[in-house]
Structures are given as C-alpha cells and as structure tokens.
Amino acid sequence: MDVLINVFVALHIIGIASLLGGFLTQMKAMGAGAARFTPAMLHGSLTMLVTGVALVGLNQADDQTVNNIKIGVKMAVLVVILGLVYVKRDEETVEKALFGTVGGLTVVNIFIATVWT
C-alpha cells in the first residue's frame, strides 16, 4: 500500500508543478496584460484534484489518520483554482488580478500542504 500511496503523492506533486509552472511561465505576459491560462494549468489542477481524493481514500484504507479540516481547506482552495482556470481557459487574455489570484491561491495551497501540521 505504501508504494501505491507514494505513486499518488508523486502524481500529486507533478500536478502542482504543472499548475505552478504554467503560472510562472506566464508571469512576463501577465506584466504585459497578455497572460492566459494554459492547458497545463487546467490539467495540473485536475490531476491534483483526482490524486488528492485518491490519496485521502488510500490513507484512510491504510488506517492512517487524515486531518479532514486541512484536506477540506486544501480542496476548497483547489476547487476555486480549478473553477477559475476552467471558466477562463478559452479566453485569449485573463485580467492581471484574476491571474494573480490563481497564482497566489496555488502558493497558499502549497503552504497549507507543507506548513499545516
């Protein structure tokens, strides 16, 4: 079971890397007002959602304790990110504030995952 959990953790990290990487590659465009949500950002957030739900299930099946409040907060932040990226995915440009919000929420989600114990 540990190997399966570690595989899903790795996939979860790949998802966050895709989301954050997509944001960081658009930083210069954001400064020029031409930023857009890339497919990598959408796929990364979807990957995070699917693997995160799977990780909760796998950890509970393995009789490990899960901090449901932390997971709920992380999921709420991720659903907001996913909603924003999904709704605006086809637009040529996204407002700076909206694009910055997605980047900020992504970083918040990383800090929740790593700092909240």
Side-chain angles (χ1 to χ4, degrees):
M1 185 70 92
D2 288 338
V3 172
L4 188 59
I5 290 172
N6 287 334
V7 167
F8 275 92
V9 168
L11 291 172
H12 196 69
I13 292 170
I14 290 169
I16 193 74
S18 178
L19 178 59
L20 186 62
F23 172 77
L24 293 175
T25 59
Q26 293 286 310
M27 289 288 290
K28 188 174 182 179
M30 185 177 81
R36 62 178 308 201
F37 293 128
T38 63
M41 295 174 75
L42 177 63
H43 296 140
S45 57
L46 284 170
T47 299
M48 286 179 58
L49 181 64
V50 171
T51 58
V53 169
L55 280 168
V56 170
L58 288 170
N59 280 313
Q60 287 180 341
D62 199 29
D63 289 330
Q64 296 180 23
T65 59
V66 176
N67 186 341
N68 290 319
I69 296 171
K70 175 182 174 180
I71 298 302
V73 170
K74 279 183 55 58
M75 183 175 242
V77 171
L78 182 57
V79 166
V80 170
I81 291 169
L82 183 57
L84 291 172
V85 172
Y86 184 77
V87 168
K88 299 288 190 173
R89 73 188 183 280
D90 291 331
E91 297 198 8
E92 286 298 317
T93 60
V94 179
E95 300 83 25
K96 288 181 185 181
L98 183 63
F99 196 79
T101 299
V102 168
L105 288 174
T106 301
V107 171
V108 165
N109 221 357
I110 292 168
F111 277 101
I112 291 171
T114 56
V115 176
W116 187 342
T117 56

